[in-house]
Amino acid sequence: MSLLASFRRLISQSLLGLACAGLTAASASAQSSWPERPIQMIVPFPAGSSPDALARAISEPLAQALGQPVIVDNRPGAGGNIGTRFVAHAKPDGYTMLLTINGPMVTAPTLYKTTLGYDPLKDLQAISMIGTSPNVLVVPADSPANSVQEFIELAKSRPGALNYGTVGPGSSAHLAMAMLEHAAGIKLEQIPYSGFPQILTAIIAGDIDAAFMVPGIAMPQVQAGKVKALAITSLQPSELLPGLETMVEAGLDNFEAISWDAFFVPSNTPDDVVARLNKEVTAILQREDIKAKLNAFYFSSEPSTPQEMTDKIIADKARWDAVIERLKLSLE
């Protein structure tokens, strides 16, 4: 190789190296500058629902932390599956995130084996748990039942005549009642609604006879005397719900149906974006004012790492799959 050719090759390699360095720096700069525009926070339940309330409590401080607006977008339907599916197939650029409950992430894949349209563990990346809350068994204010056992006796005295509301098949509200039906030997008719506010309206009107509901929606009407709360679905009594017995205390062994809410983004969202969101969400959930807001909705603040949230989904799925199999439930 001539001296001139060697010189040209050296110059070419140097220019290539500078170009690659420039691309790397540009890429790093693009990632470090995220977010550069508003972020869409999908809530797959209607306005006024518990997930919506949590989203609106967290979206403002998250927007302040990120320096960009965080816009809450309600996309209800199919027990949360429609909005969850939307995020699962959204562009993984950090500008679409999901706040959802356990139903679409844990039980829906088993209940909709071929028609769900997304795989929670493959199509979604966990950011953090937000918090947990027990469900509350609620009946109309004029119901003759004043306890779980009285409700069971009422259902047995009127076989097939009582109904209950859920936020969709596969939700914790649905599975909790299915567990009660199985454990007590009763049969009720399920009436699906788009959200808990709609269920509560139906109970107050006497259109349905019972429901397992999130307490953030139910308890204000319980305290107003418009509905009655009979029990909660945690294994242990709740400090946030004093005076309400657990389903276990009512005589139903190992009866637990906890609701949780968590943040997710589409899979393949850049790792630095996932880490930043987890950092900011964790910091927000550790603030005393935010804890107080969650407590007002009867949620305990429980931030997690992305891996801890993924592990929670896997563990919950194994437990609920056993329940679904035992109850022989399928929505296909």
Side-chain angles (χ1 to χ4, degrees):
M1 181 181 295
S2 69
L3 181 61
L4 180 59
S6 297
F7 180 73
R8 286 175 173 170
R9 181 179 180 184
L10 178 62
I11 292 297
S12 177
Q13 291 175 337
S14 298
L15 290 174
L16 179 62
L18 288 171
C20 290
L23 287 172
T24 301
S27 176
S29 176
Q31 292 183 10
S32 63
S33 64
W34 177 91
E36 297 181 305
R37 54 187 171 87
I39 295 168
Q40 186 180 28
M41 182 185 290
I42 301 297
V43 178
F45 296 95
S49 63
S50 178
D52 176 72
L54 296 181
R56 296 182 189 281
I58 297 170
S59 60
E60 183 176 348
L62 183 59
Q64 293 172 350
L66 296 175
Q68 290 288 346
V70 176
I71 301 168
V72 177
D73 184 353
N74 299 92
R75 300 201 178 203
N81 296 344
I82 291 175
T84 302
R85 184 187 305 123
F86 175 83
V87 178
H89 297 295
K91 186 177 181 180
D93 56 6
Y95 292 99
T96 305
M97 61 189 302
L98 171 72
L99 190 162
T100 192
I101 64 173
N102 35 330
M105 302 298 296
V106 174
T107 56
T110 304
L111 294 166
Y112 299 91
K113 286 186 172 64
T114 62
T115 61
L116 186 60
Y118 64 91
D119 184 321
L121 294 174
K122 291 182 180 179
D123 297 330
L124 290 161
Q125 163 67 52
I127 295 296
S128 174
M129 171 87 84
I130 297 171
T132 63
S133 177
N135 286 288
V136 181
L137 178 58
V138 176
V139 297
D142 60 357
S143 171
N146 293 298
S147 68
V148 175
Q149 287 302 325
E150 287 184 5
F151 178 75
I152 292 172
E153 292 304 317
L154 178 65
K156 287 182 176 179
S157 70
R158 301 172 58 191
L162 301 188
N163 55 31
Y164 67 99
T166 75
V167 292
S171 63
S172 60
H174 168 224
L175 292 179
M177 195 64 79
M179 286 198 301
L180 175 57
E181 288 179 289
H182 178 83
I186 58 177
K187 183 61 179 175
L188 310 173
E189 180 183 358
Q190 179 188 181
I191 309 294
Y193 290 84
S194 61
F196 284 117
Q198 290 73 23
I199 294 176
L200 187 60
T201 298
I203 291 179
I204 293 173
D207 295 334
I208 55 177
D209 300 296
F212 280 103
M213 298 184 60
V214 291
I217 302 297
M219 292 309 294
Q221 300 305 320
V222 171
Q223 292 159 358
K226 294 183 178 181
V227 297
K228 291 189 291 190
L230 303 185
I232 58 175
T233 60
S234 53
L235 293 177
Q236 302 297 327
S238 170
E239 293 182 358
L240 299 176
L241 293 158
L244 284 178
E245 68 175 358
T246 66
M247 297 294 287
V248 174
E249 291 172 328
L252 299 164
D253 293 339
N254 200 37
F255 195 108
E256 181 183 31
I258 300 296
S259 294
W260 52 251
D261 287 68
F263 282 121
F264 301 87
V265 291
S267 289
N268 299 317
T269 295
D271 291 343
D272 62 325
V273 173
V274 172
R276 174 78 185 281
L277 282 171
N278 176 264
K279 174 186 174 183
E280 302 298 355
V281 167
T282 298
I284 290 168
L285 292 174
Q286 291 173 336
R287 286 170 39 173
E288 291 304 318
D289 61 325
I290 299 300
K291 287 182 180 180
K293 285 185 177 181
L294 265 64
N295 287 170
F297 303 137
Y298 302 92
F299 270 82
S300 58
S301 175
E302 298 181 29
S304 71
T305 67
Q307 187 59 54
E308 287 170 343
M309 188 65 245
T310 299
D311 292 343
K312 173 68 172 172
I313 293 170
I314 294 171
D316 279 6
K317 187 176 187 307
R319 185 172 73 87
W320 282 111
D321 278 358
V323 173
I324 292 169
E325 182 178 351
R326 173 167 55 82
L327 299 176
K328 296 181 173 58
L329 295 176
S330 176
L331 300 177
E332 292 184 324

